[in-house]
Amino acid sequence: MKTTLKASVIMFVLMVFCHSGYSQTGGGFGIKGGMNYNSNGQYFKDAEAIWGSPKNNLGYHLGLFGKVNAGPVFLRPELNYTNLKSEINSVQLQTQRLDAPVLVGINLLGPLVSVFAGPSLHYYIEDELRDFEYDKFNAGYQFGIGLNLGNVGLDLRYERVLNGQTVDIDNVFTGDGDFRYQQLMLGLSFKF
């Protein structure tokens, strides 16, 4: 009798857990936010600086997302406000932009884990790294992995812009078009 009761409780807990996992993988909309680490295209050089002052290139993002399911495959468009920080030659600079990634993903391991990738469009509101006259639009790509628990999702992403730029700070040039934003993003989302 105890074995049957124990098996019934375990089955009930598994059913509740699986049902709550499907909540985030179902279609709908929600809000998201998180932290991002900007490397300005120099991850190996910046890795040394992380130990000394890790907050110098740490930013954040806030936004909205929608999700449309087609079986195990999904489409997830987003609109985010992103704040990037950059430290170059001991100068702290800030970039603010609107990002619109359009991600296509697939659910793995049932509803719990997903992988995704897609293009991301960027509109620069303010960029202290560049002169007043600069192209306000850019594009890039994102890819990552997500964990879904109920209406809560956690994801880790990599992003890189496609078009490089020239930056002049204290008469030090980063090159002719080689300077590209790239970042690691850790995000938390809540689906309604």
Side-chain angles (χ1 to χ4, degrees), residues 92-95 126-131 134 169 181:
Q92 185 76 34
L93 302 166
Q94 186 173 349
T95 300
E126 181 181 351
D127 191 353
E128 294 178 349
L129 288 170
R130 299 186 278 179
D131 293 332
Y134 60 88
I169 298 172
Y181 288 110

Side-chain angles (χ1 to χ4, degrees), residues 19-169:
H19 176 69
S20 68
Y22 276 108
S23 297
Q24 179 74 16
T25 59
F29 67 96
I31 59 173
K32 66 176 301 258
M35 299 184 318
N36 44 297
Y37 181 80
N38 179 36
S39 81
N40 298 325
Q42 306 167 2
Y43 270 123
F44 294 110
K45 182 179 177 187
D46 289 344
E48 299 170 8
I50 291 173
W51 297 108
S53 51
K55 294 181 184 177
N56 288 349
N57 288 7
L58 196 62
Y60 63 90
H61 58 277
L62 303 167
L64 305 169
F65 72 91
K67 192 169 184 183
V68 179
N69 278 344
V73 178
F74 62 86
L75 178 69
R76 181 175 166 145
E78 299 179 357
L79 181 60
N80 302 312
Y81 168 81
T82 303
N83 180 290
L84 301 165
K85 290 184 181 176
S86 304
E87 182 176 320
I88 300 176
N89 298 336
S90 300
V91 176
Q92 185 76 34
L93 302 166
Q94 186 173 349
T95 300
Q96 299 174 49
R97 68 184 195 197
L98 292 176
D99 297 335
V102 180
L103 305 170
V104 176
I106 187 165
N107 295 317
L108 303 173
L109 300 176
L112 298 177
V113 178
S114 61
V115 293
F116 50 85
S120 182
L121 303 173
H122 310 291
Y123 174 75
Y124 291 87
I125 300 168
E126 181 181 351
D127 191 353
E128 294 178 349
L129 288 170
R130 299 186 278 179
D131 293 332
F132 183 75
E133 295 296 322
Y134 60 88
D135 189 8
K136 299 268 189 185
F137 294 96
N138 203 341
Y141 59 88
Q142 292 184 1
F143 61 86
I145 187 167
L147 176 65
N148 305 305
L149 299 170
N151 290 335
V152 178
L154 181 68
D155 64 59
L156 179 64
R157 302 178 186 188
Y158 171 80
E159 178 190 72
R160 182 167 181 153
V161 298
L162 295 177
N163 297 328
Q165 60 196 21
T166 302
V167 178
D168 179 10
I169 298 172

